C-alpha cells in the first residue's frame, strides 16, 4: 500500500521493446495483521527528463483569498541529473482556459534535489466548495536551453478553512 518510485533509466534498452515485470514476494510474519501479498493499486510508468519534478514532489496550497483574488503557494522539488539553468513555466487553467502563466528560472545542480517555493495570484478565483467543486489545473513545463525536458499536471481547488475555539 506504500507508493514508491524506481528509476529505470539504467535498465532501458534503447531501440528495443522493453518489458517491465513487477513481482511480489511474501515473507513469513512480515505483517502484524495480514501477511498476504500482491499489487493492490494501479501501477504507472512516469517519464521525466534529466531535470524534472518527480511524482509527489509538487504541493499546492491556498495562502489567502483577498476580494476575488487567491494567493496560491507552489512548493516543489526539482531533481536534476546535470548542472543547468532551467526555465520552469507554470500555466493555470480553469475549464480548459488559460487563467495565468508565470515563468521562473532556476539553477539546478547534478545529483541534487532542490526545494523551491513560489507564490502566484489567481485573479477572479473560482472557489471550491461542496456545491461548486471548482477545480484548476496547474501545468508545469521545464525547459533547458529552450528544449522541453519535463511536463506535469496537477489538479487543485482554491479554498481556505479556519478552525477556532469558538467556531470549532
Amino acid at each position: 500500500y506504500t507508493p514508491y518510485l524506481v528509476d529505470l533509466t539504467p535498465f532501458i534498452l534503447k531501440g528495443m521493446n522493453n518489458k517491465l515485470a513487477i513481482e511480489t514476494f511474501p515473507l513469513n510474519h512480515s505483517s502484524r495483521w495480514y501477511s498476504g501479498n500482491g499489487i493492490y493499486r494501479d501501477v504507472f510508468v512516469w517519464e521525466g527528463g534529466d531535470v524534472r519534478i518527480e511524482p509527489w514532489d509538487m504541493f499546492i496550497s491556498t495562502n489567502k483569498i483577498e476580494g476575488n483574488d487567491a494567493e496560491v503557494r507552489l512548493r516543489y522539488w526539482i531533481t536534476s541529473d546535470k548542472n543547468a539553468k532551467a526555465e520552469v513555466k507554470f500555466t493555470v487553467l480553469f475549464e480548459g482556459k488559460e487563467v495565468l502563466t508565470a515563468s521562473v528560472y532556476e539553477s539546478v545542480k547534478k545529483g541534487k534535489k532542490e526545494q523551491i517555493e513560489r507564490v502566484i495570484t489567481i485573479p477572479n478565483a473560482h472557489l471550491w466548495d461542496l456545491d461548486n467543486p471548482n477545480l484548476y489545473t496547474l501545468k508545469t513545463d521545464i525547459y533547458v536551453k529552450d528544449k522541453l525536458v519535463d511536463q506535469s499536471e496537477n489538479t487543485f481547488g482554491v479554498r481556505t478553512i479556519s478552525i477556532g475555539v469558538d467556531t470549532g
Side-chain angles (χ1 to χ4, degrees):
Y1 294 105
T2 302
Y4 62 94
L5 183 66
V6 177
D7 183 2
L8 299 175
T9 305
F11 309 105
I12 300 296
L13 302 174
K14 292 184 180 181
M16 301 181 71
N17 288 332
N18 290 266
K19 181 178 181 179
L20 174 64
I22 300 172
E23 298 180 35
T24 60
F25 299 97
L27 300 173
N28 287 333
H29 311 294
S30 63
S31 176
R32 187 172 178 180
W33 294 283
Y34 175 68
S35 59
N37 77 319
I39 298 173
Y40 297 95
R41 298 286 189 263
D42 295 331
V43 174
F44 298 96
V45 175
W46 298 89
E47 293 181 55
D50 49 9
V51 178
R52 64 198 171 275
I53 297 175
E54 293 181 342
W56 313 298
D57 279 352
M58 171 65 80
F59 297 89
I60 306 165
S61 59
T62 305
N63 275 357
K64 64 183 173 182
I65 299 170
E66 286 187 6
N68 294 329
D69 299 340
E71 187 178 278
V72 175
R73 181 177 69 157
L74 311 176
R75 185 170 49 112
Y76 55 98
W77 285 261
I78 293 182
T79 303
S80 185
D81 297 333
K82 65 181 181 181
N83 294 327
K85 184 161 184 132
E87 177 188 6
V88 183
K89 180 180 177 185
F90 301 108
T91 304
V92 177
L93 306 165
F94 181 73
E95 295 180 344
K97 296 178 185 150
E98 188 176 305
V99 174
L100 74 92
T101 299
S103 288
V104 294
Y105 291 87
E106 307 291 352
S107 293
V108 294
K109 295 182 181 134
K110 181 178 180 176
K112 297 284 185 178
K113 191 172 192 171
E114 310 269 343
Q115 181 181 348
I116 302 161
E117 286 190 26
R118 297 287 179 225
V119 175
I120 59 174
T121 300
I122 298 176
N124 301 310
H126 298 273
L127 304 185
W128 185 98
D129 63 38
L130 292 175
D131 296 324
N132 302 292
N134 295 309
L135 292 175
Y136 286 87
T137 300
L138 173 68
K139 186 177 170 198
T140 307
D141 298 323
I142 300 177
Y143 296 89
V144 174
K145 296 183 179 176
D146 296 324
K147 179 183 174 195
L148 181 64
V149 295
D150 192 50
Q151 284 185 298
S152 64
E153 286 190 7
N154 298 86
T155 304
F156 69 98
V158 175
R159 177 182 186 161
T160 58
I161 299 173
S162 62
I163 299 172
V165 175
D166 298 328
T167 58

